[in-house]
Amino acid sequence: MIQMTLIQIDNYGPWTVTPTPRAEADLQILQAELYADLQRQFAVKGGLVFFTRFDNMLAVTNGVDMDHHLRIQKSINNRYPITVSMGVGTAETPYEAQRSATSALQKYGGAQSEERSEILAIEGLVKPDDSFVQIAHIDINGITDSLTDIIPAYDTSFIVNRVQHFLMKKLIEKGSLLFFIGGDNFMSPCNGMNPEGLLTIIEEIEEETNIALKAGVGKGPNAEKAANLADLALEEIRGGCTYNLVHVMKEQV
């Protein structure tokens, strides 16, 4: 079972323009610092936060209990001009877990509700014996030589975003999620997907976009361990790789 937490800034849209529109640079700084702060605090318990729209973030939080969620909320409230509400859900697949987390929070009011503040809505928490996270680290083959050092920077970014779109579309059909994590790298919580299914998706994307990908898959009791194993798996096939490859490493319990 995978556990996911939706993190949502309370009443953020109205706050950004009250009493007048706030400086855009200040808003970007707040969002970036909040993301880094949340990442740091969830990482203490082996969690991993992914930005989606910055005012909304999704985290894989196996091993993070109710008390730690509450401590994070209190810490943010003490140091920022905004508060965050959270929804927590569990399921066999990441998509269903985030859906459960979203539904739990939505029951307490909308994202721009003036009444909703610092809510922690828990649909479920994964028991330690049932905790399992599978994560794939996916990147583009040879992007530096084929794109970064050849074409304009914005064009490279456009291609990376296009690949992300294709990956998201195919992975969500399998109950998996995908997040951009910088450079040419993506991370996919993918409980329930076998390596052969991921390899098929990678091959389909190369046929459709002419962009080759490779991936490492890690499995562990929490996001931190699964992601680290995925990184190690990818490193084994990185460097001079000209084929789409998937390598799997399991966490030894």
Side-chain angles (χ1 to χ4, degrees):
M1 293 281 285
I2 187 169
Q3 176 179 305
M4 296 205 67
T5 299
L6 166 64
I7 306 156
Q8 196 171 78
I9 302 178
D10 292 315
N11 203 23
Y12 185 58
W15 179 81
T16 64
V17 293
T18 303
T20 60
R22 299 174 191 270
E24 187 58 37
D26 290 341
L27 296 177
Q28 295 298 322
I29 291 167
L30 183 147
Q31 291 175 173
E33 290 182 345
L34 179 63
Y35 167 65
D37 201 332
L38 288 165
Q39 188 73 270
R40 190 176 295 111
Q41 295 197 62
F42 275 103
V44 170
K45 293 290 185 178
L48 191 58
V49 180
F50 299 100
F51 63 85
T52 55
R53 295 180 292 133
F54 284 109
D55 58 344
N56 285 255
M57 288 165 267
L58 285 168
V60 180
T61 55
N62 291 57
V64 184
D65 61 15
M66 180 180 70
D67 288 342
H68 196 70
H69 278 89
L70 289 170
R71 281 196 295 272
I72 291 173
Q73 285 182 306
K74 184 177 180 179
S75 174
I76 297 302
N77 188 16
N78 287 339
R79 296 179 292 109
Y80 288 82
I82 47 86
T83 61
V84 296
S85 286
M86 301 183 187
V88 186
T90 66
E92 295 294 335
T93 67
Y95 179 80
E96 288 302 322
Q98 66 83 31
R99 184 176 180 178
S100 175
T102 303
S103 176
L105 185 54
Q106 287 172 342
K107 292 175 183 176
Y108 287 85
Q112 294 190 0
S113 168
E114 293 181 359
E115 287 75 35
R116 198 198 78 183
S117 177
E118 216 170 7
I119 293 295
L120 177 60
I122 298 179
E123 193 76 15
L125 295 169
V126 172
K127 297 178 181 178
D129 291 344
D130 297 327
S131 187
F132 171 73
V133 179
Q134 178 174 294
I135 287 179
H137 184 163
I138 306 167
D139 79 1
I140 298 174
N141 270 349
I143 190 171
T144 301
D145 295 335
S146 63
L147 296 173
T148 305
D149 290 346
I150 297 175
I151 66 175
Y154 191 81
D155 295 17
T156 300
S157 181
F158 179 85
I159 292 170
V160 171
N161 287 334
R162 183 165 179 257
V163 170
Q164 180 180 5
H165 171 77
F166 275 80
L167 281 167
M168 290 178 75
K169 184 177 179 181
K170 292 178 181 294
L171 285 166
I172 200 171
E173 294 173 356
K174 306 297 183 181
S176 300
L177 306 178
L178 185 88
F179 303 98
F180 177 64
I181 58 171
D184 65 331
N185 296 272
F186 311 94
M187 199 152 272
S188 173
C190 56
N191 287 42
M193 173 173 283
N194 59 44
E196 291 75 18
L198 180 57
L199 181 57
T200 297
I201 288 174
I202 286 175
E203 290 172 341
E204 289 174 354
I205 288 176
E206 182 174 13
E207 291 177 2
E208 295 167 7
T209 68
N210 201 33
I211 299 293
L213 305 171
K214 55 183 176 293
V217 181
K219 302 178 181 181
N222 61 38
E224 179 185 26
K225 291 185 177 181
N228 286 346
L229 288 170
D231 293 344
L232 291 171
L234 187 60
E235 285 303 314
E236 291 192 6
I237 58 173
R238 209 178 234 147
C241 176
T242 56
Y243 302 95
N244 297 331
L245 297 173
V246 176
H247 186 82
V248 182
M249 296 181 69
K250 292 184 179 181
E251 170 71 7
Q252 299 298 314
V253 179

